Amino acid sequence: MAGKLLSARLSAAVFAISGNLRRHWYHKIGQRRLFRTTCARNSTVTGKAEVNGVQLYYEARGSGEHHVLCIPGALGTTRTDFGPQLEYFGRDENGYTVIAFDPRGYGGSRPPPREYVTKPETFLTVDALDACELMKVLGSPKFSVLGWSDGGISAMILAGRFPSVVRKMIVWGGNAFITEGDLELFEKTRDVANWSARMREPFEAIYGTKFPKMWSDWCDAMKEIYATNSNLCMDELPKVSCPTLVIHGAKDPLVPMLHPEYIVKNIKDSKLHLFPEGKHNVHLRFAKEFNELVDRFLKE
């Protein structure tokens, strides 16, 4: 219904992307800019939106009433982290409008450079606030959210602080807190020269020679958060009121089982689904099964 109401308000401008004619309508109400897109079947609309003083790059696909926001992981972007989800949930017949964005300082949302702030709010909270505001700017007052890794933490912060705007939430690969064991796992990843080419090259393609320092800075930020109070989103979990699906790869080398167990225990309307052979990127490695699982949950 929200999408239909928005379409009546907006004025038109036409542009072409990848050979498909797209239309992008804008309307300003004070500082608030609303948008609606219509495009060729199963095609993608890209753009930038001004959010909390920065320009955030986003991709939108599909035309359904159920809006779904995807929040990527550390250094992640729309395409590196959510290619299969954009394709699946963006099919018109599935009934969704799926939106993914690059957090500030990542991918297409540069400048500014990424700042891994830890006080008074962490960079994960900054991403949560940006995500919520982005959806307001794009004219989506209520939506479901998918969050992976750091994006899962930001999703839980968003759902805890703004429960009225989140319909359902799906998170995987995220922590609510940091343990000494977690720090040891993070530290083992610090030298990206030791990563496999398959894991390293997508980030090198985006960030070039800045990639090693960006990852090292992320590791330093986690150490600083641990030294302060180790809390990533523990305070927000009891405030989450939407139905929540926590997904976990049983062989995740970065996130031990204690983390999804804690999340499910502290979000009242939540359930846990395990992928026995899954690792950290379960949504990419088992994309078909993952997408169908999430689709069923969103339609329940």
Side-chain angles (χ1 to χ4, degrees), residues 58-72:
Y58 67 89
E59 297 188 21
R61 187 178 175 109
S63 56
E65 294 286 337
H66 191 155
H67 292 187
V68 178
L69 172 68
C70 299
I71 309 179

Side-chain angles (χ1 to χ4, degrees), residues 111-245:
R114 183 67 169 182
E115 295 184 5
Y116 292 104
V117 295
T118 60
K119 298 174 184 176
E121 301 272 32
T122 72
F123 63 93
L124 298 162
T125 299
V126 173
D127 289 345
L129 299 177
D130 283 350
C132 189
E133 185 63 21
L134 173 66
M135 295 304 276
K136 290 181 183 177
V137 170
L138 298 183
S140 181
K142 192 156 188 174
F143 52 91
S144 293
V145 59
L146 276 69
W148 176 38
S149 197
D150 276 10
I153 301 168
S154 294
M156 290 184 281
I157 295 170
L158 190 165
R161 295 199 180 189
F162 308 100
S164 65
V165 307
V166 181
R167 293 176 60 168
K168 291 189 176 183
M169 178 169 66
I170 301 93
V171 294
W172 65 103
N175 308 27
F177 52 87
I178 303 172
T179 69
E180 186 175 352
D182 294 328
L183 282 185
E184 294 174 0
L185 294 174
F186 300 154
E187 193 62 31
K188 289 178 181 178
T189 72
R190 182 184 289 272
D191 186 355
V192 299
N194 294 328
W195 292 22
S196 69
R198 180 177 60 84
M199 295 296 294
R200 187 180 65 249
E201 288 173 355
F203 293 110
E204 290 176 336
I206 298 169
Y207 303 111
T209 58
K210 295 179 181 179
F211 168 51
K213 185 177 186 304
M214 288 181 69
W215 186 256
S216 184
D217 288 347
W218 180 89
C219 292
D220 287 341
M222 289 299 174
K223 287 178 66 176
E224 187 171 339
I225 294 170
Y226 174 76
T228 303
N229 60 12
S230 78
N231 184 0
L232 294 172
C233 63
M234 296 168 66
D235 296 339
E236 280 79 15
L237 300 188
K239 302 173 186 176
V240 175
S241 60
C242 65
T244 298
L245 175 61

Side-chain angles (χ1 to χ4, degrees), residues 7 9-15 22-27 36:
S7 64
R9 304 177 185 173
L10 309 177
S11 60
V14 179
F15 62 96
R22 320 287 177 81
R23 292 180 181 177
H24 202 176
W25 285 267
Y26 288 102
H27 178 64
R36 180 179 182 270

Side-chain angles (χ1 to χ4, degrees), residues 39 99 261:
C39 54
I99 299 160
E261 289 177 339

Side-chain angles (χ1 to χ4, degrees), residues 79-89 283-284 287-288 291:
R79 283 288 158 180
T80 61
D81 287 15
F82 292 114
Q85 286 67 52
L86 284 166
E87 194 281 330
Y88 179 91
F89 292 100
H283 66 304
L284 302 177
K288 182 177 185 296
N291 290 340

